[in-house]
Amino acid sequence: MTARLGIDVGGTFTDVVVIDDAGATAVEKVPSTPGDASIGILNGIRQIARTRGVLVEDLSVFAHGSTVATNALLELKLPRTALIVTRGFRDVLEIGTQLRSDLFDLRSRKPAPYVPRQLVFEVEERVDRLGTVVTKLDDDAVERVVEQVRASGVEACAVALLFSFRNAEHEQRIAQALRAATPSLSVAISSEVAPQIKEYPRASTTVVSAALQPLVARYMAGILAGLENVGLRCPMFVMQSNGGTMTAGEASINAHRMVLSGPAAGVLAATQLAAGPEYRNQITFDMGGTSTDIALIADGRAALQRETVFHGRPLLVPQFDIHTIGSGGGSLAHVDEGGLLRVGPESAGAVPGPACYGRGGTQPTTTDAQLVLGRIDATRFLAGEMTLDVAAARRAIQEYVAEPLGMDVDDAAAGILEVADAIMARGVRVVSVNRGHDPRDFHLVPFGGAGPMHALNVGSMVDVGGVVVPRNPGTFSAVGLAGSDVKYDFSTLVDVDVADIEADEVETLYSDLIVAAAGRLEAAATSSQRFIRMARFRYAWQDNDVEVIVGEEPVDADGLAAAVGSFHARHHFEFGHSDENERVELVSVGVEAVGVLERAVVAAAAQPTERKAVPASRRPVYFAETRWVDTPVYERAELTPGDTFLGPAIVEEREATTVVTPGVAGRVDRDGNLLLTYPEKGTKR
């Protein structure tokens, strides 16, 4: 028996998914426990065992996605952390770069460094850009800086010396001395965390890694202890920002890889959907309570970023290119001083939540608007486990929106949704049109508790080719976790002209990385391994480097030439120009190492026969095109492959509701996904 468990801890709910060896999926959703997330995790395991008949002892893999690292950075709830730098570079975090978040805001201020200046310590040493030792690191210098760190009473320490990515000897000596002097100290060195050029981002990322280590280690220890109590004995893996998992032990050491753990799981699930030929191009649309995460998948592969800015600070961590906007199901609506309707970015959060939740909220949210317009059944929210207060939602919209704008409650509710959809449509354009992609070539894939309610209107504003609502959209991120594999990224700096390096030299670099990667994957007990060669190129003397996929086969002269050709094409796509006669530099080579975890192989379903779906009930629902209209309501669990229907319609399931606007054609594909096609438009051009 092969059953995989995925648990995604959100701000309001903890989603639990089990996929068995026949491909059957069991789903549960329990309240999150912000004070101690492990309580919600254990509650979820107990509940899915009780309500769905899951045998805990049959679980073979447990994959977990968490926001513990993200929240710690956002809320600045970090342990005291020190930083050791090369003498003369004490202000590396304060100086940063000349870039400003808002070029025209003269009052703009950089965020405070995670490490205050009094906890930044200098050490006498120097390595040049080629890795040659200019100033030796003597034992007295090591002893002095270690004593300074010990006396400061910090819980973690980062070490980021100049050009250590070329020669890591000095960093390693200092780390060894720190651990010997203070065994409880969490230590991170930049040559292991981010072995690449760019002094400030490298130092910043190493600090993040060091600061998160104690928090994540305690978090993992608490979960593992609790799992023993519920009888779960299978290996535990943790989602990384790059869409792969790592072992719980690895997460405690490389906590910086968890910064976008939660959103990455949803994108990963979408890439699994993109494995088939029908949905290779997607724009993912993950709408939760406070925000919406949007990403683009082209030809089955989600874009990765190697350097991002998190909360105003650089982060050198491979992660899915996810664009987040402050609009969600709990986004608050109000009329500003100029008489304009605003929605978000402020949110009602989990507590008090939307007005209709009856937990003390009085301001209207997008969820309140959906309820007032009949899109949500007040008596069947979460399969009837929670009853919503329609009257409270109407009062909130009346007071904060309808009266100030001089309109009735229904039109005010429709206006709230239109404004929210317009905000999210801009986010979809950021990842598509703004980056050279035509939305008509992509399906919008909504998930999260609120995504399927807004997707068709958002997609219409952007002119996407169609909308695909996957199975279990309300717990889709947990589905991605349950189907995840172990993944590590390894890279090494090269920085040479392509004309000055031979293909066999490049393959030697790849081989060294693969050997290191294979050892890490073997420690994770993976059933098979894949190694995808990557390379970053740039034109000589330029700063805009571009990553290309080289492939899984060893690199020869033809393969290297093909990679350079891919660079020219990609550079032209991203920047609008290229020059095949210009000198090209190989900046770095990398390996994406994937360790496949044990799973059953489920046979593909046959193409279904088309037939008209039968609604389970009907109720009045408000649409902008028709106002109130008697609308068929379909139970998602009763829809089978081949079923078709025409909007307006509502499709309900326990964790999500899909709003199908008038004229939109719906069809259940052979895998149970809900394909929605706009009128007079095919799913492909």
Side-chain angles (χ1 to χ4, degrees), residues 492-520:
T492 187
L493 189 70
V494 183
D495 202 17
V496 300
D497 195 307
V498 172
D500 296 334
I501 190 169
E502 298 296 330
D504 58 350
E505 296 178 81
V506 176
E507 179 55 30
T508 297
L509 295 173
Y510 280 125
S511 298
D512 292 342
L513 293 176
I514 289 172
V515 168
R520 292 270 285 279

Side-chain angles (χ1 to χ4, degrees), residues 178-195:
L178 285 169
R179 293 179 178 124
T182 313
S184 62
L185 186 70
S186 296
V187 180
I189 61 176
S190 70
S191 53
E192 294 178 356
V193 172

Side-chain angles (χ1 to χ4, degrees), residues 113-135:
Y114 290 126
V115 177
R117 192 173 190 272
Q118 64 268 25
L119 292 179
V120 181
F121 304 107
E122 297 179 313
V123 64
E124 191 71 42
E125 68 86 41
R126 190 63 179 260
V127 173
D128 69 14
R129 66 182 184 86
L130 299 178
T132 303
V133 175
V134 177
T135 302

Side-chain angles (χ1 to χ4, degrees), residues 241-323:
S241 305
N242 66 359
T245 58
M246 56 183 167
T247 64
E250 186 90 16
S252 299
I253 300 172
N254 294 287
H256 60 289
R257 298 179 185 170
M258 288 179 59
V259 173
L260 284 182
S261 172
V267 179
L268 174 63
T271 60
Q272 294 164 0
L273 178 65
E278 300 93 344
Y279 311 128
R280 298 288 290 170
N281 292 340
Q282 302 176 19
I283 299 172
T284 65
F285 183 74
D286 181 4
M287 185 177 178
T290 59
S291 64
T292 299
D293 298 313
I294 304 169
L296 186 134
I297 297 173
D299 196 24
R301 184 177 177 87
L304 275 177
Q305 290 182 311
R306 301 294 173 178
E307 179 180 352
T308 57
V309 175
F310 183 86
H311 218 229
R313 303 169 182 89
L315 198 59
L316 293 175
V317 179
Q319 61 186 40
F320 282 139
D321 187 3
I322 298 173
H323 178 66

